[in-house]
Amino acid sequence: MATIKDIAQQAGVSPATVSRVLNYDMELSVSQDTRQKIFEVAEKLNYTKHKNKKKEVMTFRLVQWYDSEEELADLYYLAIRLGIEKKAEELNIGLLKESLHHLSDQSTDGIIALGKFEAQEIQLLQAKNEPILFVDSDELLHGYNSLVVDFEQSIAQVVDYFVKTNHQKLGILSGIEYTKSNQHQIEDRRLVYFKQALEKLKLTDEATYLQAPFSVEDGKRVVSTYLQNHQDFPTALFASSDALAIGAMQAISEYGLKVPEDVSIIGFNDISVAKYVNPSLSTVRVNTEWLGELAVNTLIDLIKEEAPVARKITIATELIVRESTRN
């Protein structure tokens, strides 16, 4: 595992700066470019980047719904993008990175659409007449190939772990996000499955349901507000992203409670930062780098052999227990 010193050396900054950035220290004065470089190095050090100078055999269009600032607020999509870039480089595939509303006229062999898209946005992609693979968006119902994470299995793992470690008062900090064109709120499926799991166990009476945009700052703000206005807080809290979980941990600490002594917390994604925060964050691991690599391989398969119907590939997750949870 890479150390803070390793990250500092490659990013060209001090270890102290790396530590503060990875712990989302809001008082640190550092440029956005420096933050991005530190986070990208932290993610990239999880794998060996292969160099290959052979002629490109194909070109893919990578359409992202997150810009660089949004990627830093929640590193999930950054990690998937890096996995896509790595595999494309290994296979000598050119990568044309574009935003949804600035699509070029250049023709490509296929499109990887990374993120969430609404109907009119999908029509823009369809107009390119190129094979499309949606990553992290289930568009199978509309006839499109999709690569998604198994949220139902993930939540079952989390709730089962909390119950087995003697927690009865559970809570969730789910995510709020919107489509880009019309700002339609996107349903967080983790919240849906969390509610269903608690209903089966008859634990809904004392359950706590909080929501916040996917960022450390918003997670901290929402949990702080809740703590200031309620006497009781769940003994176990699941957050729909590691960024939200880190924000919740900061709020709980500032309120005078302790993690995990008073509140056990589990995040989601297992971004590289999760193991550097204090206490280290228990989380649901999504193999984001591999997910990006799989996206490239899947699109190659779609191009090489046209299927009679669309397919959906669902990726399993793994619960990683660290210091932020206890019985």
Side-chain angles (χ1 to χ4, degrees):
M1 185 178 72
T3 66
I4 286 178
K5 186 176 180 181
D6 296 330
I7 298 169
Q9 185 174 8
Q10 289 202 23
V13 297
S14 70
T17 298
V18 171
S19 178
R20 293 180 68 180
V21 167
L22 295 184
N23 279 281
Y24 290 90
D25 187 338
M26 309 303 177
E27 297 181 357
L28 176 64
S29 179
V30 65
S31 71
Q32 188 81 348
D33 288 343
T34 299
R35 288 184 187 273
Q36 182 166 2
K37 189 171 185 179
I38 290 170
F39 282 126
E40 287 193 351
V41 169
E43 292 291 339
K44 287 180 178 179
L45 284 180
N46 284 336
Y47 61 75
T48 302
K49 194 169 185 179
H50 300 279
K51 298 290 184 181
N52 202 322
K53 299 298 183 182
K54 295 180 182 178
K55 184 179 179 181
E56 293 174 355
V57 295
M58 282 191 262
T59 301
F60 289 169
R61 191 189 313 271
L62 172 58
V63 180
Q64 302 170 247
W65 81 316
Y66 263 17
D67 59 30
S68 58
E69 185 174 343
E70 290 171 317
E71 277 189 338
L72 292 185
D74 189 343
L75 303 179
Y76 177 68
Y77 286 109
L78 182 149
I80 297 175
R81 172 174 64 81
L82 292 176
I84 292 171
E85 292 175 353
K86 175 201 171 189
K87 180 55 67 173
E89 184 176 39
E90 287 179 5
L91 299 178
N92 307 303
I93 295 172
L95 209 56
L96 181 62
K97 291 180 281 188
E98 299 182 332
S99 65
L100 181 66
H101 298 292
H102 293 88
L103 298 176
S104 69
D105 293 330
Q106 180 177 335
S107 63
T108 64
D109 295 284
I111 300 171
I112 296 176
L114 176 56
K116 309 291 197 308
F117 302 90
E118 56 186 299
Q120 71 179 64
E121 296 170 337
I122 293 174
Q123 290 175 0
L124 291 174
L125 297 174
Q126 187 181 30
K128 290 296 178 184
N129 291 315
E130 299 167 351
I132 306 172
L133 174 65
F134 287 91
V135 179
D136 199 51
S137 181
D138 186 354
E139 303 300 336
L140 185 67
L141 183 64
H142 302 104
Y144 294 99
N145 297 287
S146 305
L147 183 54
V148 297
V149 174
D150 191 342
F151 290 140
E152 185 173 12
Q153 172 239 0
S154 305
I155 298 304
Q157 287 179 312
V158 169
V159 173
D160 182 63
Y161 176 81
F162 280 151
V163 171
K164 285 183 176 179
T165 51
N166 302 315
H167 293 282
Q168 295 291 310
K169 195 169 183 181
L170 311 184
I172 183 173
L173 176 57
S174 59
I176 300 174
E177 54 191 352
Y178 301 89
T179 58
K180 297 300 184 184
S181 296
N182 295 312
Q183 290 294 295
H184 292 151
Q185 185 169 345
I186 301 165
E187 182 180 54
D188 187 346
R189 299 299 297 173
R190 283 156 290 213
L191 175 59
V192 174
Y193 293 126
F194 189 85
K195 286 182 175 179
Q196 289 178 356
L198 265 58
E199 285 171 0
K200 289 180 181 178
L201 295 170
K202 303 187 184 306
L203 295 175
T204 54
D205 288 346
E206 294 187 88
T208 299
Y209 302 106
L210 305 177
Q211 289 184 296
F214 283 98
S215 72
V216 174
E217 295 89 340
D218 287 304
K220 180 179 180 180
R221 172 182 55 80
V222 167
V223 173
S224 293
T225 300
Y226 184 89
L227 287 168
Q228 291 166 9
N229 292 284
H230 296 80
Q231 291 185 342
D232 294 328
F233 196 74
T235 63
L237 180 70
F238 168 71
S240 285
S241 76
D242 290 342
L244 287 173
I246 292 168
M249 288 168 64
Q250 292 178 352
I252 289 166
S253 177
E254 290 184 6
Y255 188 74
L257 298 176
K258 292 184 178 181
V259 176
E261 289 83 355
D262 297 308
V263 185
S264 286
I265 294 184
I266 294 178
F268 192 91
N269 297 338
D270 195 28
I271 57 176
S272 59
V273 174
K275 49 185 167 281
Y276 294 112
V277 297
N278 186 27
S280 58
L281 181 62
S282 295
T283 183
V284 175
R285 174 176 292 165
V286 179
N287 286 282
T288 45
E289 178 202 334
W290 178 73
L291 181 60
E293 294 179 22
L294 182 60
V296 174
N297 288 329
T298 302
L299 186 54
I300 291 172
D301 291 341
L302 294 172
I303 293 168
K304 287 183 175 179
E305 185 175 349
E306 184 175 351
V309 293
R311 73 186 71 171
K312 179 173 75 172
I313 300 174
T314 305
I315 307 303
T317 59
E318 179 185 3
L319 180 61
I320 305 298
V321 177
R322 297 195 179 103
E323 297 171 348
S324 67
T325 52
R326 77 178 186 94
N327 289 349

